Amino acid sequence: MSMLICCNGCHTPIQLPPGTTAFRCIVCRSIGNTASPSSAPILYPPVPPTTSSNYHGQKKAVIIGILYKNQKGELRGCINDAKTMKDMLIHRFNFNESSIFMLTDEETDPRKIPTKHNILIAMSWLVNGCKSRDSLVFYFSGHGGRQPNNTGDEKDNYDETLLPLDHGTQGPIVDNDINDIVVKPLPTGVKLHAIIDACHSGTVLDLPYLCKMDRSGRYSSWEDHSPKSGTGKGTSGGEVISISGCADHQYSDDTNALSKEKMPAGAMTYAFIQAIQNGQGATYGSILHAMRYTISTRYKPGAVGRKQDPQLTSGHHFNVYTEPFSL
């Protein structure tokens, strides 16, 4: 089983194969070794009990909702989103509550506050020790951003980012690091779904393929987003699919205009859950089509000049209208 440790320099969590003695941090690039006292194994979040059936192995999820209270750009619906998503995973997809690690800025447990350090630990925990038939979910509701990329490995020359609660001092979480932590380690037979309700989130997992839709909202083709350098952005044999709130150049809105109860929520999260609850969740294509229809017809963000088109990216090509959706 792999080992989860802290970087000697910046204390970022790092997942290492068994027997590893030296490593280079993906964030600060410093070289460390597992014999150092500062590289002691991380003991939290706790490993959940296995929830299994004849088909599924273990189910684990990390759910993050950030309001950025008392900060510029404070949001309203992200904790509601996180709670709704957790409820759906438990009651619709049979996740054990103890296998869900949730971070929000209303938590009092310091381990569950969505700082950059805690989010990186949670991401590493999610994939640590995963094996064939495991089903993993990474959900984020909060701010997303983008920054210039100078390495030439981005189609639009921008890196996409997620903003932790302390991004003002610790900086964002960049798509390259998200890919390194939760995508590349996945072994054969493991399936990870990322559900990202944030601005500029279309390719925030840095997956190699983007599902393109035509003007009617139907599947058109898979667009290749593999790095020009040829560097691999796929898994170690596992399967990753990301459903995100908008294209890389767009914004994901936080609104109370969609629900009848006028409860603040992310437009993407609301549309995703509505698609599942309304029986439109049979395939990935039906979910994406339903989400786009809900946002464009009920919310009409284009009326205020902000178009929002949920996106689907993947580590491999597949037929979005025949591939069954399941978590």
Side-chain angles (χ1 to χ4, degrees), residues 171-190:
I173 300 173
V174 183
D175 54 8
N176 297 318
D177 296 332
I178 298 171
N179 187 276
D180 282 343
I181 295 171
V182 300
V183 175
K184 287 183 180 178
L186 291 186
T188 301
V190 176

Side-chain angles (χ1 to χ4, degrees), residues 281-300:
T283 67
Y284 293 92
S286 63
I287 290 174
L288 192 61
H289 183 76
M291 290 172 65
R292 290 189 171 201
Y293 181 82
T294 295
I295 291 176
S296 64
T297 60
R298 292 189 57 182
Y299 180 37
K300 298 182 180 179

